[in-house]
Amino acid sequence: MIFAQNKLNLIPYPQKVQLLQGEFAIPKAFVLSGDLPKEETEYFKKRIGSQVEFQYAKKGGEIHLTNSIIPQASGTDSEQKKEYYSIEISPKQIHIKSYTKQGYFLALQTLIQLIEQYKEGKNIPAMKIEDQPKFAWRGMHLDVCRHFFTVDEVKQYIDYLAMYKLNTFHWHLTDDQGWRIEIKKYPKLTQIGSKRKESMIGAYVDNTFDGKPYGPYFYTQEQIKDVVKYAQDRHITVVPEIEMPGHALAALSAYPELACTKGSFEPATKWGVFDDVFCPKDETFTFLENVLDEVIQLFPSRYIHIGGDECPKTRWKECAHCQELIKKNNLKDEHGLQSYFIHRIEKYVNSKGRKIIGWDEILEGGLAPNAAVMSWTGVNGGIEAAKSKHFAVMTPGAYCYFDHYQGDPQSEPNAFGGFTPLEKVYSYNPIPSELNAEQSQYIMGVQANLWTEYILDFKQVQYMIFPRLMALSEVGWGTSDPKNYKEFENRVINQFKVLDGMKVNYARSIYNITGKVIPSNNGIAYELSTSQNSNSIRYTLDGTDPSINSKTYQTAVEIPNSLTIKSAYFEEGQLKSAVSTQQFIISKTTGKKITLEQPSENYSFGGAFTLVDGIIGNVKKLGKTWLGFQGKDVVATIDLGQKTTFSEVYFNTLENKGSWIHLAKSAKIFVSDDNKNFKLIKEIGTPEIQKAGGKIKVNVGTQNAKYLKVTIENAGIIPAGNPGADSKAWLFVDEIGVN
């Protein structure tokens, strides 16, 4: 690769770039060779037509853009080569080589970015680029069930994918809150299932509704064909998702006979997970097979996504038919019944020449023979799939959920929770370290997901995907380098000019101040940074808003006691960013060394240190201040550094049952002087934790110890009558302190 200071403003960055002598002058009229692939060239003309004119070459005249399609390689090589391209830019001409029209189209995306970068100076440096992606599946998902987006908006979304060389659009078309695809055989799916009486608004814990009917909103089959063709013209595969056996309320509202109970049902107005799911009886399978027949006719993709996630087993446990089916087929339990359901659907989809892919819960009870796994709850689903020679797409929530906050949650619009800034997306490696070279070949690629519970319109869709989609693009291409994140960030900022020209409402969170707590000799210090010059940050420690006369940030700010730090970025005397506010509550554990027996996965920003960083978690915005553990206990050991006297221990846990977050079941507090022999000094049970509302503060008598161990027990399996019943509960914990 060329030196960083000469780096081209390309995202994703190509595999090989070689700068040559001279420059190609961007002509006023671009002369095109007459044999260029037609649809792709028309796309190219449309994209940059406002900057240059186009004409086709006359015999014997000068040609600016030429292309040769190399005779197609055979066998496995052809799969790898179909997205290969090279571009050679000489002072006289640009020549593209590829094996396929798809390779040519990807080359055009690179050329468009080069023209954007050099349009002011009118000269593109001479160079040779050789390029192809590392991963075959580079995807973005869009949920149109919680909130609906028009055909034109979906096409815009597909255009964004094409710009950054993503090649898969995962279209989430059915869920509890809405059925969005016309099925001719079952008209009630859209007559009844495509509307709901109202929608939840604001933070989930507020439990408020707008009182406004939503819908009917759905896509006709003609509209779907139009979108699929539009995507195909941009070499993007559309993978439809039809949710089963869970997330089925909109379908059951239309056809209640497919449930385990009599109903009645209505499309959900709340977010979350619901107990009523498809009952695995013959008429259900007939219904789903008929639906899939129409879906397969509409979508030529190799894979059909069948969901398979978050399926509570409550109704199946109470259903005589389900229990009989478990006995008759010698299934172990309801998880075995889920596996039976997925196997049966897979067999049908395979009979139509297609394959299924599903969220990693399809591993429950044993994976169907040819199924691929989309690993979202962490990386373990992908690891398990690859080790058993099944293909997997990596989309773990901690890195790839774009409904999470991307900037300081206090200054961001309401989001689902979590904290996934641009830098974190960029740091992701889709190949888990647990896999060897042979197993790694089963990792098809990477995808980011956009769930839309808190995304009310398309402007907000743009805000949540940009600029994170750019980081995903480079991760999927295989040229991301987390060590050089700042260099990547500079390329992102240069791309903002393109987004401005397209009037895209992208997030400017990277301009705002980000704070990171780090251990220091005296406890903790607070590191401030911005994508601009960090020396232009001003801050205060007395709770007042910073001005141009406030202290200039130079190095991490020591936090000696409980205080509030406010910071902002100034340019030429003017305030340029939002004011960032952070309160610190200091205790004797703050900044001390902490270890966790079982690390947090999806809600894990800052790791174990989050529990001793002096920041108390925000109950409404589950961003970077909490650690979340699904089905796991918290076992935290804190090294106080020396024997320390204390008499009170505190920590916070959270309750938000709609999001499967339950208060801790119990907690135990231990002390030790050698980190081996621990003495139990306090135990608290469910009644005390519930009475305290999760804000636990316990008197432990006067203690003098070097080590403190706190075990906080997860609620376990969610009981019947709760959202997500029969699934593993989440335990959210923050700040373990002693006084």
Side-chain angles (χ1 to χ4, degrees):
M1 283 195 187
I2 57 176
F3 295 108
Q5 63 263 36
N6 292 332
K7 216 150 193 191
L8 302 165
N9 181 35
L10 297 174
I11 296 176
Y13 209 76
Q15 302 288 354
K16 279 186 195 165
V17 178
Q18 182 190 358
L19 286 183
L20 305 170
Q21 290 298 312
E23 293 178 323
F24 172 84
I26 299 172
K28 193 170 181 223
F30 229 100
V31 182
L32 306 172
S33 162
D35 58 355
L36 296 174
K38 189 167 180 286
E39 284 87 357
E40 291 77 7
T41 306
E42 283 305 311
Y43 168 91
F44 174 64
K45 286 161 68 178
K46 207 180 274 185
R47 275 290 307 278
I48 60 160
S50 62
Q51 291 158 46
V52 289
E53 292 169 21
F54 290 93
Q55 57 193 57
Y56 282 95
K58 297 182 179 77
K59 242 184 180 171
E62 189 179 38
I63 304 175
H64 296 126
L65 182 63
T66 61
N67 164 249
S68 49
I69 303 276
I70 310 161
Q72 177 70 337
S74 61
T76 54
D77 197 36
S78 66
E79 269 303 296
Q80 292 177 315
K81 293 286 190 188
K82 72 179 185 186
E83 294 190 290
Y84 167 89
Y85 70 90
S86 73
I87 301 180
E88 198 152 349
I89 301 177
S90 70
K92 290 196 167 176
Q93 194 175 73
I94 296 169
H95 184 65
I96 293 170
K97 277 186 195 168
S98 61
Y99 289 92
T100 62
K101 289 181 178 181
Q102 186 175 4
Y104 171 69
F105 183 77
L106 292 170
L108 290 178
Q109 298 298 346
T110 301
L111 184 55
I112 289 163
Q113 288 191 20
L114 287 170
I115 291 168
E116 287 282 359
Q117 182 178 354
Y118 291 104
K119 65 184 178 187
E120 280 168 25
K122 301 284 188 196
N123 292 312
I124 302 174
M127 68 183 81
K128 182 166 186 192
I129 292 174
E130 273 197 278
D131 202 15
Q132 68 185 69
K134 179 175 180 178
F135 293 105
W137 185 302
R138 305 180 306 283
M140 271 299 303
H141 151 288
L142 180 64
D143 162 20
V144 295
C145 302
R146 278 48 178 258
H147 286 99
F148 182 80
F149 304 98
T150 65
V151 167
D152 284 346
E153 288 167 343
V154 171
K155 286 179 175 179
Q156 275 184 64
Y157 197 80
I158 288 166
D159 279 333
Y160 303 149
L161 273 57
M163 280 170 65
Y164 294 101
K165 301 191 175 86
L166 301 179
N167 65 1
T168 307
F169 171 49
H170 172 173
W171 205 357
H172 183 81
L173 290 163
T174 75
D175 214 303
D176 294 302
Q177 294 81 8
W179 184 282
R180 305 287 178 224
I181 172 172
E182 178 192 24
I183 301 295
K184 307 262 190 202
K185 195 171 181 97
Y186 300 109
K188 285 196 282 188
L189 284 170
T190 45
Q191 286 165 9
I192 295 169
S194 73
K195 54 192 177 185
R196 56 180 183 257
K197 67 181 183 193
E198 61 182 355
S199 304
M200 208 171 192
I201 49 169
Y204 191 95
V205 289
D206 293 340
N207 202 31
T208 53
F209 297 85
D210 61 6
K212 295 175 190 165
Y214 192 82
Y217 295 130
F218 64 94
Y219 307 99
T220 66
Q221 293 200 357
E222 286 309 306
Q223 287 174 320
I224 283 176
K225 285 177 195 166
D226 179 35
V227 169
V228 169
K229 168 77 168 67
Y230 190 86
Q232 281 175 327
D233 289 348
R234 284 146 186 76
H235 297 279
I236 287 170
T237 301
V238 184
V239 175
E241 181 179 358
I242 307 297
E243 269 277 8
M244 61 185 86
H247 287 289
L249 262 182
L252 297 179
S253 305
Y255 297 97
E257 63 273 18
L258 305 177
C260 290
T261 61
K262 282 202 168 85
S264 60
F265 309 105
E266 61 176 12
T269 56
K270 284 182 93 149
W271 317 135
V273 177
F274 302 90
D275 285 342
D276 289 296
V277 301
F278 285 121
C279 185
K281 49 194 175 185
D282 287 341
E283 53 262 55
T284 302
F285 288 109
T286 301
F287 165 82
L288 289 170
E289 286 165 8
N290 289 333
V291 167
L292 288 167
D293 282 348
E294 294 193 33
V295 169
I296 285 166
Q297 284 295 313
L298 292 166
F299 295 93
S301 55
R302 182 190 303 174
Y303 285 98
I304 303 294
H305 203 300
I306 51 91
D309 64 317
E310 300 178 329
C311 178
K313 310 298 186 283
T314 312
R315 297 289 183 258
W316 290 359
K317 281 180 176 172
E318 299 159 352
C319 170
H321 169 78
C322 292
Q323 293 308 309
E324 184 57 37
L325 206 55
I326 288 170
K327 272 189 214 145
K328 186 176 148 191
N329 290 281
N330 294 318
L331 304 174
K332 192 178 167 194
D333 54 16
E334 289 75 22
H335 293 289
L337 188 55
Q338 167 133 340
S339 183
Y340 164 87
F341 193 113
I342 301 296
H343 273 71
R344 192 159 161 181
I345 290 293
E346 186 196 48
K347 202 171 170 188
Y348 187 76
V349 172
N350 289 170
S351 77
K352 301 286 177 180
R354 306 299 183 85
K355 295 181 175 182
I356 66 163
I357 186 166
W359 304 110
D360 47 35
E361 288 97 327
I362 69 169
L363 289 156
E364 287 175 9
L367 190 53
N370 307 305
V373 169
M374 205 165 256
S375 191
W376 76 278
T377 56
V379 296
N380 291 339
I383 292 166
E384 192 182 326
K387 284 186 173 175
S388 58
K389 300 190 173 176
H390 283 266
F391 285 104
V393 174
M394 303 306 286
T395 178
Y399 297 90
C400 298
Y401 267 45
F402 288 2
D403 56 339
H404 289 184
Y405 291 104
Q406 58 193 314
D408 183 348
Q410 322 299 340
S411 52
E412 288 281 316
N414 197 29
F416 185 85
F419 182 59
T420 310
L422 183 69
E423 186 171 5
K424 189 164 188 190
V425 180
Y426 194 67
S427 74
Y428 184 54
N429 178 0
I431 298 198
S433 57
E434 293 86 341
L435 299 182
N436 62 32
E438 188 195 345
Q439 292 161 343
S440 298
Q441 291 171 18
Y442 288 94
I443 302 298
M444 290 196 284
V446 65
Q447 176 174 297
N449 300 321
L450 190 67
W451 302 100
T452 60
E453 288 94 334
Y454 300 93
I455 297 174
L456 309 184
D457 57 32
F458 195 68
K459 284 279 178 209
Q460 186 67 5
V461 166
Q462 295 172 333
Y463 186 91
M464 297 307 273
I465 65 170
F466 281 118
R468 291 185 284 195
L469 185 146
M470 299 182 202
L472 177 82
S473 147
E474 196 146 304
V475 166
W477 203 257
T479 51
S480 56
D481 180 3
K483 293 193 300 296
N484 287 331
Y485 169 73
K486 275 292 172 194
E487 180 279 319
F488 167 73
E489 196 179 67
N490 289 336
R491 283 186 281 132
V492 167
I493 289 166
N494 282 322
Q495 289 282 327
F496 284 170
K497 295 170 198 161
V498 177
L499 299 183
D500 285 336
M502 295 168 69
K503 298 190 165 45
V504 171
N505 178 42
Y506 56 88
R508 291 159 175 78
S509 315
I510 57 174
Y511 290 125
N512 287 339
I513 310 292
T514 53
K516 184 182 175 189
V517 185
I518 56 169
S520 78
N521 294 334
N522 305 317
I524 56 167
Y526 199 44
E527 232 174 31
L528 299 173
S529 65
T530 168
S531 57
Q532 308 301 297
N533 178 5
S534 289
N535 294 130
S536 295
I537 296 172
R538 300 280 195 273
Y539 71 93
T540 64
L541 299 176
D542 60 2
T544 60
D545 282 353
S547 69
I548 192 63
N549 301 317
S550 302
K551 274 187 188 169
T552 303
Y553 177 77
Q554 286 168 327
T555 183
V557 182
E558 293 288 335
I559 309 292
N561 48 271
S562 298
L563 55 82
T564 296
I565 182 168
K566 289 193 172 189
S567 54
Y569 171 72
F570 287 80
E571 211 173 77
E572 295 173 358
Q574 299 295 310
L575 177 66
K576 286 286 181 183
S577 72
V579 173
S580 176
T581 303
Q582 188 56 66
Q583 184 182 26
F584 289 93
I585 306 291
I586 304 302
S587 91
K588 292 181 178 183
T589 58
T590 308
K592 298 294 190 276
K593 191 177 170 191
I594 178 169
T595 53
L596 283 173
E597 277 185 23
Q598 302 189 81
S600 159
E601 283 183 1
N602 279 357
Y603 294 87
S604 59
F605 196 85
F609 194 69
T610 302
L611 300 180
V612 290
D613 64 0
I615 297 172
I616 304 296
N618 183 323
V619 174
K620 283 199 179 180
K621 296 202 170 188
L622 305 181
K624 57 184 180 174
T625 53
W626 293 87
L627 291 190
F629 303 80
Q630 190 174 22
K632 294 179 184 173
D633 298 337
V634 174
V635 182
T637 304
I638 300 168
D639 180 352
L640 295 166
Q642 62 188 37
K643 288 187 82 166
T644 302
T645 303
F646 59 91
S647 58
E648 181 185 75
V649 176
Y650 65 84
F651 64 87
N652 295 322
T653 94
L654 193 65
E655 182 171 67
N656 186 343
K657 288 182 177 174
S659 299
W660 302 18
I661 303 168
H662 288 247
L663 290 175
K665 194 173 183 181
S666 68
K668 291 178 181 172
I669 299 163
F670 304 83
V671 290
S672 168
D673 289 331
D674 59 6
N675 202 20
K676 288 176 189 161
N677 302 297
F678 281 89
K679 181 176 120 191
L680 177 67
I681 56 167
K682 191 77 176 182
E683 188 168 357
I684 55 171
T686 309
E688 292 157 277
I689 291 171
Q690 288 182 338
K691 190 179 175 188
K695 292 182 177 175
I696 310 304
K697 210 174 250 195
V698 290
N699 192 311
V700 292
T702 302
Q703 302 294 330
N704 187 248
K706 185 169 187 280
Y707 295 93
L708 172 76
K709 182 190 276 190
V710 180
T711 67
I712 306 169
E713 189 186 1
N714 189 295
I717 299 299
I718 298 172
N722 289 286
D726 204 43
S727 299
K728 292 173 183 172
W730 280 91
L731 169 63
F732 270 65
V733 175
D734 180 48
E735 213 54 24
I736 301 172
V738 301
N739 292 317

